Amino acid sequence: MALVALTLVALPESHPAADRTPLRVGPLLRSLWAVFRTPNGRRLAAIGGLNFAGMFLFISSAPMFIVTLLGGGEQDFWHLFVPLIGGMVAGSWMSGRLAGRIPGRQVATLGFRVALIGGLANVLLAMVPATQHLPWIVLALPIYTFGIALTVPTVTLEMLAEFPHTRGAASSVQSFVQLFFNAIIAGFVAPAVAFSLPSLAASAVGFTLLGALGWTWHLRAQGDEATA
């Protein structure tokens, strides 16, 4: 409550008054629909959702992965989350270092390639009996999520650049699609595929492959063959 009060009283609005959009339900819904009905809007929203889907599949499957498949307990979830989050942190840091030095689309393409390499390595580790246990079974996960994190900023900025006058609507559509994908994954996909390590790993990299194909499609639609 204190934060809400301070925000209302002491935090000034930085957006110029002339550029503000009144909060009206009709125009708001129309702007959201205008984003979603655009092919580039739908495509970029789907790419963002698919890019994160593989990681979220592991998050949703954590109880099955740690307890059922690896035989761990309630104190062992860090074995999964440290590699996952560690790769995301490193990828986000690297994305910031590459910004302004390498074109964003090239960084995103690199990110998808790294994620696919990490995801395929994770499938191989999950298929070999000698590596179906800790620490081997999580060794490729930081590589996988490193690539995912490299891709996130560019896909987000592409979506915002596509709709410069309705960026709030663009961001909302992108977030909604990602949350929708996450709900489907948590409710249906994770229970269906987390019965074995190979099935879980293959399903995760499958989402990444779909995202990478969508990204290649997007670049070609934009005439950017060099980074496809």
Side-chain angles (χ1 to χ4, degrees):
M1 291 300 294
L3 287 175
V4 172
L6 286 172
T7 300
L8 291 173
V9 175
L11 185 63
E13 172 60 67
S14 59
H15 200 51
D19 296 332
R20 297 176 193 174
T21 301
L23 181 58
R24 297 172 183 167
V25 175
L28 176 62
L29 294 178
R30 284 194 293 271
S31 65
L32 293 171
W33 175 244
V35 172
F36 190 76
R37 67 190 290 269
T38 305
N40 281 348
R42 292 195 302 271
R43 185 164 53 240
L44 286 167
I47 291 168
L50 289 167
N51 181 49
F52 189 73
M55 177 176 173
F56 193 77
L57 178 58
F58 275 102
I59 294 173
S60 301
S61 305
M64 291 82 83
F65 182 81
I66 293 296
V67 179
T68 304
L69 298 178
L70 297 183
E74 66 276 4
Q75 301 296 322
D76 297 320
F77 282 79
W78 67 272
H79 291 299
L80 173 63
F81 287 106
V82 167
L84 286 179
I85 303 304
M88 287 292 290
V89 170
S92 297
W93 179 86
M94 180 57 69
S95 178
R97 303 288 77 74
L98 295 177
R101 302 180 182 181
I102 300 177
R105 289 181 174 180
Q106 291 184 16
V107 175
T109 299
L110 174 63
F112 273 118
R113 291 173 180 172
V114 171
L116 286 172
I117 291 171
L120 290 173
N122 189 51
V123 172
L124 293 176
L125 291 171
M127 293 177 64
V128 178
T131 56
Q132 291 179 335
H133 56 82
L134 294 170
W136 310 107
I137 196 59
V138 298
L139 283 185
L141 290 181
I143 302 173
Y144 180 57
T145 57
F146 180 91
I148 290 172
L150 273 183
T151 301
V152 170
T154 296
V155 174
T156 301
L157 290 174
E158 284 275 321
M159 185 69 159
L160 297 179
E162 188 70 26
F163 305 95
H165 303 297
T166 54
R167 288 176 176 172
S171 179
S172 296
V173 169
Q174 196 169 43
S175 298
F176 173 81
V177 171
Q178 180 171 315
L179 290 173
F180 179 78
F181 280 14
N182 291 350
I184 297 298
I185 290 168
F188 299 98
V189 180
V193 304
F195 60 87
S196 73
L197 293 171
S199 175
L200 179 59
S203 299
V205 76
F207 282 120
T208 304
L209 178 59
L210 290 175
L213 291 174
W215 178 246
T216 301
W217 178 17
H218 174 71
L219 293 180
R220 289 177 177 171
Q222 303 300 306
D224 195 348
E225 298 282 349
T227 55

